[in-house]
Amino acid sequence: MPWNPLIVAFCCNWCSYAGADLAGTSRLAYPATVRIIRVPCSGRVNPQYIVRAFQRGADAVLVAGCHPGDCHYSTGNYFTRRRFLLARTFLEYLGVEPERFQVRWISGSEGPKFQETIKEITQAVRALGPNRKLRDES
Amino acid sequence: MKRIGVYICHCGTNIAGAVDCSKVSRYASGLPGVVVARDYVYTCSDPGQEMIKQDIAGHKLDRVVIGACSPRMHEPTFRNTLAEAGLSPFHLQMANLREHVSWVTHDREEATAKAMDLIRAAVARVTLHTDLASLEVPITKRALVVGGGIAGIQAALDIANAGYHVYLVEREPSIGGHMAQLDKTFPTLDCSACILTPKMVDVSRHPNIDLLAYSEVVEVAGYVGNFRVRVRHKPRYVDSSKCTGCGDCVEACVMKKRIPSEFEAGMGGRSAVYIPFPQAVPLKAVVDGTRCLFLTRGKCTRACEEACSRGAIRFDDSERDSELEVGAVVLATGYDLFDARTKPQYGYGILKNVIDGLQFERLACASGPTDGKIVLANGCEPEAIAFLHCIGSRDVNSNRYCSRVCCMYSMKQAHLARDKTRARVYEFYIDIRAAGKGYEEFYERVQEEGVHFIRGKAAEVSERDGKLVVRAEDTTLGRPVEIAVDMVVLGAGLTPRSDAAEVAQTFHVTRSQDGFFAEAHPKLRPVETNTRGIFLAGACQGPKDIPESVAQATAAAGKVTALFAQDFLRTEAMIAQVNEAMCSGCLWCKPVCPFGAIEAVTITERSGRRTVEREVARVNPSLCQGCGACTAACRTGAMSLLGYTDRQVLAEVDAICLGTPS
Ligand SMILES: Cc1cc2nc3c(=O)[nH]c(=O)nc-3n(C[C@H](O)[C@H](O)[C@H](O)COP(=O)(O)OP(=O)(O)OC[C@H]3O[C@@H](n4cnc5c(N)ncnc54)[C@H](O)[C@@H]3O)c2cc1C
Ligand code: SF4
Ligand code: SF4
């Protein structure tokens, strides 16, 4: 079987999860590489989750939330933005290619953007090959 | 070991068309803890739900996983199913096999594999689900309305008419706000006082409304349903129970007409003891403590006291506070007119016959300082008047936003000027924004009345040969124009109240970039704030005309009465919780919380043989909305979000990554 990358996506309930739902209702096909974990707000995503996903063998991690200024909880995603700038630098420092960790703002009306995002990340990660860096080989 | 039931829904062919549902259910039956796994054609149907309930009883299930459509669709349905079967509704986890799998995946094998992954994750997660409970908090069914302009008046009346008690707090001696200062109102040109004063009287007479004029809110504590509010009553130096509003004291005051009247926008004078305007509500005199000669210098004949046959003047009055308990708050504090002095190029405050929009309203008003005659400072009728739009608005150096009302009010005033004088009238505008019912028609009417419209923002007003010269670039002709007039009226925009920042802080509401109070969602929650139980009405939320202010006020009142229609309020169940033993008291979580739900509390605990006091974070369950932002900010891991604990989310992560073919 050809290698298929695995993308673990944390999607906020109000915007990006809804955006993924809309991609579905609009029947916008995208690669079956992504597994979505629903979280209330992108601000809930602990950097620890990202590291854990890479350790357990994810090839890419996506954190998706509402557009800044549109957060259901008004300011949650501002913290997300700051926190993940740091997380990205940290991951790079550990040797994880920046393409493997993506933060995107996808609103509930952006089904096509969700589809595009998954296609894009899948392509980028396919080019990089499997993640070996943080993976624990247990 | 938990006893888990797994149900894979076909959703007709919606899921079954792309996913091999029976294969997924067979796979699920092998997962740890799963005692029954089935696939079914329509799980959400009555028989589908019945099947789950029977399994819960028959197989003694304590956890349920449903692989079906999006939880955003049917999670409430299935939570109900569990509750009806006597299980905690939170012991459910859904896997989204339709929107996230079957509808977006063409390859049946890939779709089936993805579905199995999602089910495995759901099973791993549901094992860790706990019972969650929301609290029931009683609601105090009284409302506070802050600000007695048209928006506050309307909100107060609507809530009071629904049968609830309202405190209406107004900082000025009378309610009415800016609308009371207006002459006629666009686009119908009805007289402002004629439509406003009956409402003001209704407020004063309403058995459900307590009007607290000349008062301000100084402190707000508590949360939705249970706010405690401290109100400061400024001294009136007049016994309201005795004052009849006859005005004898006003006539007698030695400072008569010597103080610029706020109500007349400085166009007329008042006394030190005064009634703001003839239709004021409450119709009681008030002594201005900052201008009264006796109160400021101790020296005066106290002519007012002598003139008052009722003995209502009381110089020994003093400030006092009172406490109110309310369940909801409507903020309706309105706006300030843009201060045209900050744009000296227009000559406001420098050149005599340059006035702003509110001053023009007073000039045009029959009960104003000139009895409705539009005259220059020297008392003569102007031969030409220019109205300048967008003063302060749509300007990166002052207010970027459009103030929404100035185009319309300038055109209204142009009409009044044409009606009352023989003057030539010019309008200098960037665009005419007349998007309201009947507004465009009004624009056409004013054009037909012979008002000259010049497209171009005025750049400067100067004085030459006793005339005011307006310089602008006419952008339709593409060349500069200069027009000499006798009077210039500045269409000044609307700005947030000068004290909006403090008021926002007092009520724990946020402000938008422009400084107006921020609504919870610009499209879907336009009258709520991010603090539950606090609502917005009128121009305090952004520039608005009267119809919009009234509509929003009624909407806010509707939100309040909908809240009061309940006896108890359910708090969120999925809220943050602090493990006090682990909390280091750094309070990094506190500024992250958008709802101000986190407080520092001091706890006493045993440490060895000693008893120590220590500060920790605590979450107010009535305020927490469950975003979980605080959990990610907590460095010790003391903060956790019920229903989305680290263990639960990581279980999903682990289960998803495990066993993926690579
Ligand atoms: C020159 C001009 C002409 C206009 N003409 C028209 C027109 O023809 N038609 C039209 O539809 N609209 C017109 N408008 C717009 C109109 O004035 C507003 O839409 C309306 O007044 C908004 O009402 P409001 O109750 O929100 O605010 P306001 O009228 O500003 O009332 C707010 C009230 O709250 C009180 N307050 C403020 N802060 C506090 C506090 N902290 N505590 C207690 N009380 C407080 C104030 O004293 C005031 O009484 C005009 C505006 C201007 C400037
Ligand atoms: S961030 Fe964590 S440790 Fe710090 S005060 Fe808040 S709950 Fe306690
Ligand atoms: S979960 Fe969100 S709302 Fe609740 S306390 Fe934490 S930051 Fe505040």
Side-chain angles (χ1 to χ4, degrees), chain A residues 44 73, chain B residues 574-577 589-590 592-598 618-620 623-631 639-641:
Chain A
R44 170 67 185 102
Y73 305 99
Chain B
M574 294 193 173
I575 56 168
Q577 199 177 49
C589 49
K590 197 175 147 124
V592 173
C593 177
F595 308 99
I598 299 172
R618 187 168 289 169
V619 177
N620 181 331
L623 293 176
C624 176
Q625 301 294 299
C627 66
C630 56
T631 54
M639 189 68 88
S640 147
L641 184 66

Side-chain angles (χ1 to χ4, degrees), chain B residues 93 103 188 192 256 318 338 388 521 571 639 658:
Chain B
Q93 178 68 17
W103 277 348
T188 44
S192 189
K256 189 172 172 197
S318 60
F338 175 77
L388 276 43
H521 192 284
T571 59
M639 189 68 88
L658 191 127

